[in-house]
């Protein structure tokens, strides 16, 4: 199953663009860090650029998770149902592959910090937890929009929430009020607390982990009841 998911991922044209984005951003971040680290503006903006790179990548992960399901809905539905006896088996290879993909990509962006083991571990852990939330969101989206052609459009709402947080954190002097009940604010702030330890975080990794795991379980349960148990007929 994992091999099949890898092949499907490689053949996806959107994934090719995402890989190009990963290479361009990670190379640029490393060049700035190793070649221009003494410049004041690099020291100030490099953490923000790194956070931007990873958060946008996780936002794309949201679409990738939804597209995996919509592809099965439109193509090999019967085969998927015969080879996956339960919803865990159906999602395991898909989501493990996406998580590995995002963790490797995130590490490429923090190679300059590789000598700080604690920072790297925390950065990857926040990325893992945030990725679980985005994958769960993609699962729920796929049950609503159904078709790949609509996934990108529907995902723009999620992107709007994410960019709202990014703008507020990158330009704090703008004094922009947060969007009420924005589910992504706490996760994105966790990245900034890693770079700005002088500002005490107002949430713990334990809380973020519990939220992510609970949301993921709920998403899979809803998918099982509304979609999987009905033979993927929405």
């Amino acid at each position: 199953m994992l091999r099949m998911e890898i092949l499907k991922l490689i053949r996806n044209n959107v994934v090719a663009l995402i890989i190009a984005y990963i290479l361009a951003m990670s190379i640029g971040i490393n060049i700035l860090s190793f070649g221009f680290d003494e410049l004041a503006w690099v020291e100030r903006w490099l953490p923000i650029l790194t956070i931007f790179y990873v958060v946008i990548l996780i936002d794309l992960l949201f679409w990738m998770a939804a597209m995996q399901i919509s592809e099965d809905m439109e193509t090999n539905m019967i085969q998927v149902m015969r080879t996956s006896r339960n919803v865990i088996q159906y999602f395991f290879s898909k989501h493990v592959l996406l998580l590995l993909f995002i963790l490797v990509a995130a590490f490429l962006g923090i190679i300059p910090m590789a000598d700080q083991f604690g920072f790297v571990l925390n950065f990857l852990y926040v990325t893992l937890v945030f990725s679980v939330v985005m994958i769960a969101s993609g699962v729920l989206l796929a049950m609503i929009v159904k078709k790949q052609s609509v996934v990108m459009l529907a995902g723009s709402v999620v992107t709007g929430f994410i960019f709202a947080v990014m703008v507020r954190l990158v330009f704090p002097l703008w004094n922009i009020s947060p969007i009420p009940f924005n589910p992504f604010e706490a996760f994105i702030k966790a990245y900034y607390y890693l770079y700005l330890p002088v500002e005490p975080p107002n949430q713990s990794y334990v809380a973020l982990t519990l939220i992510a795991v609970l949301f993921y379980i709920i998403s899979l349960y809803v998918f099982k009841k509304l979609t999987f148990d009905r033979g993927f007929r929405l």
Side-chain angles (χ1 to χ4, degrees):
M1 292 292 291
L2 184 59
R3 180 181 178 183
M4 181 180 71
E5 293 300 332
I6 293 175
L7 293 175
K8 290 166 62 176
L9 197 66
I10 294 175
R11 291 198 302 263
N12 194 309
N13 293 330
V14 176
V15 174
L17 295 176
I18 295 175
I19 292 176
Y21 167 78
I22 293 172
L23 293 177
M25 290 296 292
S26 60
I27 291 174
I29 290 172
N30 282 276
I31 289 176
L32 287 176
S33 180
F34 289 114
F36 305 92
D37 58 319
E38 296 181 356
L39 298 179
W41 69 268
V42 172
E43 182 179 359
R44 180 177 185 274
W45 286 99
L46 191 61
I48 296 175
L49 180 61
T50 305
I51 295 171
F52 179 88
Y53 157 65
V54 175
V55 170
I56 295 304
L57 190 59
I58 295 176
D59 179 40
L60 297 174
L61 182 69
F62 163 79
W63 284 324
M64 293 168 65
M67 290 175 66
Q68 285 179 330
I69 304 171
S70 61
E71 180 180 358
D72 288 336
M73 289 179 179
E74 295 180 357
T75 56
N76 55 347
M77 189 60 53
I78 296 177
Q79 178 183 355
V80 170
M81 289 301 298
R82 287 177 178 174
T83 55
S84 302
R85 297 182 180 180
N86 55 64
V87 71
I88 301 298
Q89 184 180 8
Y90 171 69
F91 279 120
F92 181 78
S93 297
K94 295 178 182 294
H95 293 173
V96 166
L97 179 61
L98 291 180
L99 291 174
L100 289 175
F101 180 79
I102 202 75
L103 287 175
V104 171
F107 179 76
L108 293 177
I110 57 173
I111 289 178
M113 312 287 289
D115 58 332
Q116 302 181 30
F117 180 75
F119 174 87
V120 172
L121 191 62
N122 287 330
F123 193 94
L124 294 181
Y125 184 78
V126 173
T127 300
L128 176 64
V129 173
F130 193 13
S131 297
V132 170
V133 172
M134 298 306 288
I135 288 175
S137 301
V139 172
L140 291 179
L141 172 69
M143 289 187 292
I144 299 174
V145 301
K146 304 179 184 179
K147 296 182 180 181
Q148 290 189 54
S149 57
V150 192
V151 167
M152 301 294 287
L153 179 62
S156 61
V157 177
V158 174
T159 303
F161 277 112
I162 289 176
F163 268 97
V165 182
M166 295 295 292
V167 169
R168 288 182 56 247
L169 295 176
V170 172
F171 303 103
L173 296 180
W174 288 8
N175 196 24
I176 304 173
S177 300
I179 297 177
F181 309 108
N182 189 334
F184 308 113
E185 182 149 348
F187 293 92
I188 298 175
K189 277 187 175 181
Y191 286 112
Y192 283 81
Y193 293 140
L194 288 173
Y195 284 101
L196 305 172
V198 294
E199 183 179 357
N202 57 5
Q203 80 280 319
S204 66
Y205 289 165
V206 175
L208 295 180
T209 302
L210 290 176
I211 292 173
V213 172
L214 182 61
F215 183 45
Y216 182 78
I217 292 175
I218 292 174
S219 298
L220 264 60
Y221 179 78
V222 172
F223 183 89
K224 178 180 184 300
K225 291 300 182 181
L226 297 184
T227 307
F228 196 88
D229 289 347
R230 299 181 180 182
F232 281 81
R233 300 176 187 272
L234 298 182

